[in-house]
Amino acid sequence: MKMELCGHGATTITWAKSISPPLHFPRSSSVWRFRRMNTSCVNSSLDSGESQKADEMIVSITGATGFIGKRLVQRLQADNHRVRVLTRSRSKALSIFPVRDHPGLVIAEEPEWGKCIQGSTAVVNLAGTPISQRWSPEIKKDIKESRIKVTSKVVDLINSSQDELCPKVLISATAVGYYGTSETRVFDENSPSGNDYLAEVCREWEAAALRVNKDVRIVLIRTGIVLGKEGGALAKMIPLFKMFAGGPLGSGTQWFSWIHVDDLVNLIYEALSNSAYKGVINGTAPNPVRLSEMCDHLGSSLGRPSWLPVPEIALKAVLGEGACVVLEGQKVIPARAKQLGFPFKYPYVREALRSIISEKTQV
């Protein structure tokens, strides 16, 4: 087994026995072999003596320790692709991706990002302060700056890469907040931007990504509300439903444009290798629902009778101004994904919620 730490003069460590906590290094009679390499991340990642396979991707990911990023890393590694986690905290990344479970994973802190981006097949940019939380003025500032700063840094590093080592693809997350809110309009990828705070964030976020070298295929995925047990708005909503009786949130007439986390990961995965995926693609399920219908299905999945509305004030107590992500909505259609023939595993919210509620929380 081999662990790689990205950076100049990185050390490759090989051992004969299985690893053990807390530092994942064996302390018994295992055979240790150290080899010093004065090379960049590009060369160290391919140091196994094997050439890169024709269908093998090398993917650098920001936001890999987040709700969506963790699933994407697992999917890529399950299919034997190489993953480079671009993080601000190596210790946090190692706690989420322990070496014993993720052999060969490259973890790089910010000073080494450039060396890891060079030689990557693609870069996936998912970084950003979570929106599903209480918004203070400081949090709102961080929501915008965290997205724009990381995206700008990634784009600058791609643009400064040597031609032969430059990634061919950049997939950068954005959000359906780009469109603003409405109870009557239907939005697709050609719809104009709204004029509220989240629309402003998304416009600037996308503008930063669009500065990438024109030879790099860029995909902007405008995600809806991502449904999963381990993060996002749903994780905050489930306790409220258990506390009350599974009824609607607020008026219930607002549109809820959602996507199961597995479908979003599969959409990103497909965009990595399929050259037909480019430009803006809405990361939403093909059947958005009114929030009252979504809440009815959620209450049913949780075994809660759907008759007592969850007070709007209760959600605002949890999310503050961030409750607007759920309480205000927009009907967003994934026109481009449908045109491309993307196979949604969960096109209907009832099946998506049943799957999520029944699954075991990953540790």
Side-chain angles (χ1 to χ4, degrees), residues 50-245:
E50 299 177 357
S51 60
Q52 183 183 353
K53 298 175 184 177
D55 59 349
E56 180 184 57
M57 293 186 290
I58 303 173
V59 184
S60 291
I61 306 173
T62 69
T65 60
F67 168 44
I68 300 163
K70 286 186 288 187
R71 291 283 188 117
L72 179 61
V73 170
Q74 291 163 359
R75 172 70 197 278
L76 287 165
Q77 287 204 304
D79 284 358
N80 298 313
H81 297 294
R82 302 184 189 185
V83 180
R84 298 170 176 176
V85 172
L86 309 184
T87 182
R88 291 180 177 176
S89 171
R90 189 186 305 279
S91 60
K92 178 182 178 181
L94 283 170
S95 70
I96 292 172
F97 303 115
V99 178
R100 64 179 177 273
D101 298 327
H102 299 274
L105 188 74
V106 173
I107 294 177
E109 290 189 316
E110 213 163 339
E112 292 87 39
W113 285 12
K115 294 170 184 175
C116 282
I117 284 175
Q118 289 194 63
S120 293
T121 308
V123 178
V124 179
N125 178 38
L126 302 174
T129 296
I131 289 177
S132 297
Q133 61 175 312
R134 293 187 63 84
W135 290 356
S136 64
E138 294 76 17
I139 289 294
K140 289 180 71 172
K141 181 180 178 182
D142 193 44
I143 284 172
K144 179 188 284 191
E145 290 187 352
S146 63
R147 286 160 171 75
I148 296 168
K149 286 183 177 179
V150 173
T151 302
S152 295
K153 182 178 180 67
V154 166
V155 166
D156 288 343
L157 292 171
I158 292 173
N159 289 349
S160 62
S161 297
Q162 300 174 40
D163 289 345
E164 66 276 12
L165 298 176
C166 185
K168 304 302 180 187
V169 184
L170 169 63
I171 298 176
S172 195
T174 172
V176 296
Y178 175 92
Y179 302 113
T181 61
S182 174
E183 287 192 13
T184 58
R185 296 181 62 191
V186 179
F187 301 98
D188 64 16
E189 288 85 350
N190 294 317
S191 299
S193 181
N195 55 14
D196 58 13
Y197 164 71
L198 287 179
E200 177 185 315
V201 170
C202 292
R203 285 195 303 271
E204 295 186 30
W205 193 5
E206 293 183 13
L210 288 169
R211 292 192 303 102
V212 76
N213 187 314
K214 62 181 177 61
D215 294 326
V216 176
R217 177 167 61 88
I218 183 168
V219 185
L220 296 172
I221 298 184
R222 291 178 183 156
T223 62
I225 297 176
V226 184
L227 301 183
K229 187 179 285 186
E230 299 167 12
L234 184 63
K236 302 287 180 66
M237 292 165 66
I238 287 174
L240 292 176
F241 273 71
K242 290 181 177 179
M243 183 183 305
F244 293 91

